[in-house]
């Protein structure tokens, strides 16, 4: 087993677990509250349900390595949107009133890496996808 494959596995599981926790927190904190917050920043409230669902279900799928390319693309878009819409004004490290965008950017970079390197031998994707199709 190559170190690149192990590294990809670690990044995929870490990102998946991180998003499971973030998605779960949105539901546990009251998804209606999250939807209200989305509305307050100019994003339609129904998007909170979509984002939380992608984070929770997508995170679980990343952990097992199923649909990695598609889930990673969705998470990349979510993280870029969160950075631009919510965090960019606070700066990279934050402004003393809120967190900066460094974690969002790190998640986006990991998601982009997984988008490019989605068919790790240590994933269900590699077991289910025809090698010539990739």
């Amino acid at each position: 087993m190559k170190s690149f494959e192990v590294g990809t596995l670690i990044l995929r599981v870490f990102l998946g677990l991180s998003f499971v926790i973030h998605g779960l927190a949105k539901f546990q904190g009251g998804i209606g509250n999250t939807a209200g917050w989305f509305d307050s920043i100019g994003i339609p409230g129904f998007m909170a349900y979509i984002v939380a669902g992608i984070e929770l279900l997508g995170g679980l799928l990343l952990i097992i390595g199923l649909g990695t390319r598609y889930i990673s693309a969705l998470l990349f878009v979510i993280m870029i949107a969160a950075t631009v819409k919510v965090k960019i004004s606070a700066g990279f490290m934050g402004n003393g009133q809120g967190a900066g965008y460094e974690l969002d950017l790190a998640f986006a970079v990991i998601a982009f890496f997984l988008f490019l390197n989605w068919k790790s031998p240590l994933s269900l994707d590699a077991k289910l996808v025809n090698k010539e199709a990739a």
Side-chain angles (χ1 to χ4, degrees), residues 85-100:
K85 186 70 177 170
V86 179
K87 300 278 185 89
I88 199 82
S89 63
F92 186 76
M93 293 293 292
N95 58 10
Q97 297 174 347

Side-chain angles (χ1 to χ4, degrees), residues 36-114:
W37 180 75
F38 271 48
D39 276 329
S40 76
I41 62 169
I43 300 171
F46 75 88
M47 289 298 295
Y49 295 89
I50 294 170
V51 169
I54 290 170
E55 289 178 352
L56 184 59
L57 181 59
L60 291 170
L61 290 171
L62 276 183
I63 290 169
I64 63 171
L66 185 60
T68 301
R69 178 170 243 183
Y70 306 107
I71 299 301
S72 296
L74 290 170
L75 294 175
F76 176 80
V77 170
I78 289 170
M79 288 296 88
I80 295 302
T83 300
V84 171
K85 186 70 177 170
V86 179
K87 300 278 185 89
I88 199 82
S89 63
F92 186 76
M93 293 293 292
N95 58 10
Q97 297 174 347
Y101 60 86
E102 74 280 3
L103 182 61
D104 302 71
L105 188 59
F107 283 172
V109 168
I110 295 170
F112 190 70
F113 172 84
L114 293 172

Side-chain angles (χ1 to χ4, degrees), residues 111-131:
F112 190 70
F113 172 84
L114 293 172
F115 172 78
L116 295 175
N117 299 284
W118 63 277
K119 204 171 83 170
S120 166
L122 302 174
S123 70
L124 283 179
D125 287 329
K127 309 294 184 253
L128 298 174
V129 176
N130 184 348
K131 292 185 187 280

Side-chain angles (χ1 to χ4, degrees), residues 22-33:
H22 278 89
L24 193 57
K26 285 177 176 65
F27 285 108
Q28 288 178 331
I31 192 67
N33 294 332

